[in-house]
Amino acid sequence: MTRIALITGANRGLGRSTALHLAESGTDLILTYRSHADEAEAVVEAARKLGRTAIALRLDTADTAAFPAFTAQVREALAREWGRDTLDILVNNAGHGVYASFEETTEEQFDGLMDVHVKGVFFLTQALLPLIADRGRILNVSTGLTRFVAAPTAAYAAAKGAVEVLTRYLAKELGPRGIAVNALAPGATGTDFGGGGVRDNEDMRATMSGVTAMGRPGEPDDIGAAAAALLTEGTSWVTGQRIEASGGMLL
């Protein structure tokens, strides 16, 4: 049976790369996007060219009130497109960053991060749990910043630290169903995240290269490939783990 993955925030960046690497490995896709529907449709088309069934649904992962209706949309899509009532993989990827020192971080910025990265991940996973097949997978995207301090991102790192703790609790609670739950922690990666500094700023790239064992910042395909590898059927015995994909940053 073809596996089906739901990936949040898959219209760009790490989510897009994860989606396409999964499609290349034979996985069908349900993608979500908050804005830029055209980008999401481009990912859908790319997946279809790889021979996969793929659809895109709008979702704001900060809007927990919308989760019941979104879950109903997913249930309807599963029945319509695949003749199924379950999916196999959930990747909680959607998110944003805030570059601000501890002293300068506002309550609005803090709440926005917690709403998306903690509350959203918690309650979206809860809402979709009845649709996740036994022996399925959940992958939560974290950050290398939970291990090292490399930027003024205290609130963002704290939110991702909560996600890593949640990952372990989910692994324990969902273990009886055979559902493996892990966290993937990227290091500095060249996307448009946080304004695209790692992608576009040559001074920043040089700095990151100097503290990374592999001698360069990551690229989206480095992370997408790592995520897809963690979601293969042969890694089902790995659960409750934080796996860092940083090229050996700040060892």
Side-chain angles (χ1 to χ4, degrees), residues 76-164:
E76 189 276 332
L78 287 169
R80 181 185 70 246
E81 301 289 343
W82 291 278
R84 289 181 53 181
D85 58 6
T86 59
L87 54 90
D88 304 285
I89 296 166
L90 169 62
V91 181
N92 286 307
N93 165 77
H96 67 285
V98 170
Y99 285 98
S101 70
F102 174 81
E103 289 184 315
E104 295 172 339
T105 300
T106 67
E107 187 170 355
E108 181 180 10
Q109 289 173 323
F110 182 92
D111 287 347
L113 288 166
M114 294 298 165
D115 283 349
V116 171
H117 294 282
V118 183
K119 187 177 179 180
V121 169
F122 190 107
F123 287 105
L124 181 62
T125 303
Q126 185 185 79
L128 292 173
L129 192 57
L131 304 185
I132 299 175
D134 289 351
R135 297 175 297 282
R137 303 294 188 83
I138 298 172
L139 184 65
N140 298 322
V141 177
S142 182
T143 175
L145 293 166
T146 60
R147 178 179 64 82
F148 52 75
V149 177
T153 55
Y156 173 73
K160 289 301 193 180
V163 168
E164 292 183 6

Side-chain angles (χ1 to χ4, degrees), residues 8 20 40 48 76 104 110 112 155 168 173 184 207 211 222 234:
T8 65
L20 294 180
R48 289 174 178 167
E76 189 276 332
E104 295 172 339
F110 182 92
R168 295 196 295 273
E173 292 198 27
L184 178 64
T207 299
V211 296
D222 295 318

